[in-house]
Amino acid sequence: MATAPSRPGAAEAPAPAPPRTGEDILRRVRAIVPELQARSAEIERERRLPMDVVELLRGTGVFRMGFAHEWGGPELSSIEQTEIIEAISYGDPAAGWCAMIGSDTGLYAAFLDEPVAKEMFPSLDLITAGLLFPTGHAEIVPGGYRLSGRWQFGSGVTHADWVISGAFIYRDGAPEPGPDGDPHDSKLMMVPREDVEVIDTWYTTGLAGSGSCDYTITDVFVPAERTLTFDTVRNGEGPLAQPEVHMRNMPGVPLGIARAALDHVRELVTARKKGDDYRTQVTVADCEADLVASRHGVYGAMRRQHELLAAGGTLDDLTPEERAALPLSRRHAFRTARSIVTRLYDLLQTSSIYQPSPMDRWLRDTHTMCQHVVAQDRILQSAGAYLLDAKPQFPLCLGITAAKPAGAVRPAS
């Protein structure tokens, strides 16, 4: 069917103004939640976010929420960011996971020289994906590095604009010592997505729609100014210019799933007129109590940190208990969401097992995300060691950057 010609003088509708506040982004996110819910089975089946879903998310402003006011960005606090990721994850966990990863672009900008970052990010809605663990090989050459390697867990790499990857540094084929005496230095390297080859490996138990494929980079030149470490802030200051800032909004994903599962069960129970059942009442109330406590732990720890940093303090001004509260509450949110979904899955019994039941998907998604390093016992060791004045294995989860490798933070799985 032919497209009707435009009327003479007809003008296209102006594009909506970009969001400036957290309230505006959250409002736009809540407006697309029904579509995310309706397309969850498709997203899982495709094993990546369809491009129109990516653009739907981009239109909410979620990918710009870490950019500073000076850039024209909303500069949302970690609390606001987490609330937004929580709302997206309520609609679809994979969309929430990819939004959480992709929205780090503005946070990385603080660790680059400002002119370089503004050249790299002419739009505040660009998406960054990649694996931060230093598994690549970066050979020092004039003006920068030649980067090669293969990385796993590239969540969102199928739709990203930039890819950030951790790499060990070499000079003439030999490991390059770090500036603080570390025997092997590492950095994070940012390359355009077109310089990356995606390897379709993402066949998993859950979070299938996140498209967290392996990817390779082969002998790509990376200018020195497009590399960063989390121990050097190059522009900006305040609560978002901090070494562990990109990990703070992660609990939004499990908290959003747990809320969605509880609401789903309550709706089903009410529709089936089973609300008088004692076991159902106890299970729902117990799960609700766990979610309320976990959510308050996450937001309480972030709020305390934000208040201190916004007042000009540093992470070192937090008490040991306050500093440990962030990674501990984050891990607890992941584990609690899995526990809640598992108990509700058992409560619904056989009605949970049929695909595409959301309970089936949430069960697999929460089990998969709990394999992430932030939900593992390594976090307990790091926090416990810090509380006992011993050596953390994963110091950056506490905002400690003295230990290397600088890029070893969050696998974007």
Side-chain angles (χ1 to χ4, degrees):
M1 181 176 179
T3 302
S6 300
R7 290 183 293 106
E12 293 184 2
R20 290 279 187 171
T21 67
E23 291 85 354
D24 193 8
I25 296 176
L26 188 57
R27 176 182 57 79
R28 296 185 187 202
V29 162
R30 286 173 173 160
I32 70 168
V33 162
E35 182 163 357
L36 294 177
Q37 291 172 323
R39 298 186 66 180
S40 279
E42 175 195 352
I43 290 170
E44 181 176 52
R45 184 172 61 251
E46 295 295 321
R47 296 181 300 106
R48 63 189 62 193
L49 296 189
M51 285 308 300
D52 65 316
V53 173
V54 175
E55 295 309 314
L56 198 66
L57 289 169
R58 202 190 304 264
T60 68
V62 64
F63 298 120
R64 64 170 49 215
M65 61 185 182
F67 277 101
H69 292 310
E70 289 77 9
W71 291 51
E75 195 175 335
L76 301 191
S77 70
S78 298
I79 298 163
E80 294 172 299
Q81 292 180 37
T82 305
E83 290 172 337
I84 289 165
I85 298 303
E86 192 175 359
I88 296 172
S89 302
Y90 185 94
D92 179 75
W97 193 267
C98 288
M100 176 265 294
I101 297 288
S103 65
D104 285 343
T105 305
L107 305 180
Y108 296 141
F111 298 90
L112 297 163
D113 288 331
E114 184 173 349
V116 174
K118 287 192 171 180
E119 180 185 9
M120 292 172 62
F121 312 131
S123 165
L124 303 188
D125 297 305
L126 297 183
I127 299 168
T128 301
L131 178 74
L132 305 186
F133 279 105
T135 62
H137 180 117
E139 185 74 25
I140 298 173
V141 296
Y145 306 86
R146 303 299 303 191
L147 177 63
S148 295
R150 178 167 177 160
W151 293 260
Q152 292 182 294
F153 310 120
S155 300
V157 73
T158 55
H159 59 255
D161 301 293
W162 286 90
V163 177
I164 185 168
S165 306
F168 284 113
I169 309 302
Y170 292 82
R171 187 187 297 273
D172 298 326
E176 178 76 355
D180 58 358
D182 192 289
H184 205 165
D185 196 13
S186 69
K187 293 182 183 295
L188 293 166
M189 312 257 162
M190 298 197 72
V191 303
R193 168 63 178 81
E194 54 264 29
D195 291 335
V196 176
E197 180 183 358
V198 175
I199 312 298
D200 189 8
T201 55
W202 194 241
Y203 294 86
T204 59
T205 301
L207 278 184
S210 66
S212 304
C213 299
D214 289 16
Y215 63 94
T216 61
I217 298 173
T218 304
D219 197 32
V220 170
F221 175 69
V222 183
E225 59 268 23
R226 290 185 183 174
T227 69
L228 61 101
T229 61
F230 289 125
D231 55 0
T232 305
V233 176
R234 299 191 180 278
N235 72 89
E237 57 184 13
L240 296 187
Q242 302 292 328
E244 41 60 81
V245 64
H246 52 284
M247 294 190 287
R248 295 183 202 158
N249 60 19
M250 294 186 76
V253 181
L255 292 176
I257 297 173
R259 180 73 272 160
L262 268 162
D263 288 355
H264 173 72
V265 169
R266 289 171 64 184
E267 289 172 8
L268 280 182
V269 168
T270 301
R272 296 172 182 176
K273 296 182 170 44
K274 299 287 187 181
D276 291 332
D277 179 69
Y278 178 86
R279 174 175 176 248
T280 301
Q281 293 169 345
V282 170
T283 301
V284 169
D286 195 35
C287 290
E288 187 73 34
D290 284 351
L291 177 56
V292 168
S294 182
R295 194 171 187 273
H296 276 273
V298 165
Y299 285 103
M302 275 195 292
R303 190 168 291 110
R304 169 61 185 138
Q305 186 196 65
H306 178 80
E307 290 170 352
L308 186 145
L309 295 174
T314 69
L315 293 176
D316 290 336
D317 295 321
L318 293 169
T319 68
E321 294 79 12
E322 290 170 338
R323 199 158 180 175
L326 278 163
L328 291 177
S329 63
R330 184 162 51 231
R331 178 188 181 275
H332 191 259
F334 277 80
R335 295 297 187 95
T336 299
R338 181 173 66 179
S339 172
I340 288 171
V341 170
T342 300
R343 281 178 279 164
L344 295 176
Y345 184 95
D346 288 344
L347 178 67
L348 295 182
Q349 299 177 9
T350 54
S351 62
S352 295
I353 67 176
Y354 292 99
Q355 296 185 21
S357 162
M359 290 305 304
D360 170 78
R361 185 164 52 251
W362 291 327
L363 183 76
R364 290 181 285 105
D365 287 348
T366 53
H367 275 267
T368 295
M369 69 179 61
C370 278
Q371 308 317 307
H372 195 286
V373 65
V374 299
Q376 294 296 305
D377 288 349
R378 187 175 177 183
I379 299 302
L380 293 179
Q381 185 280 329
S382 296
Y386 180 73
L387 291 170
L388 298 171
D389 197 26
K391 183 179 180 181
Q393 291 182 4
F394 193 40
L396 202 50
C397 76
L398 298 155
I400 300 169
T401 57
K404 293 288 183 175
V409 191
R410 180 173 77 188
S413 59

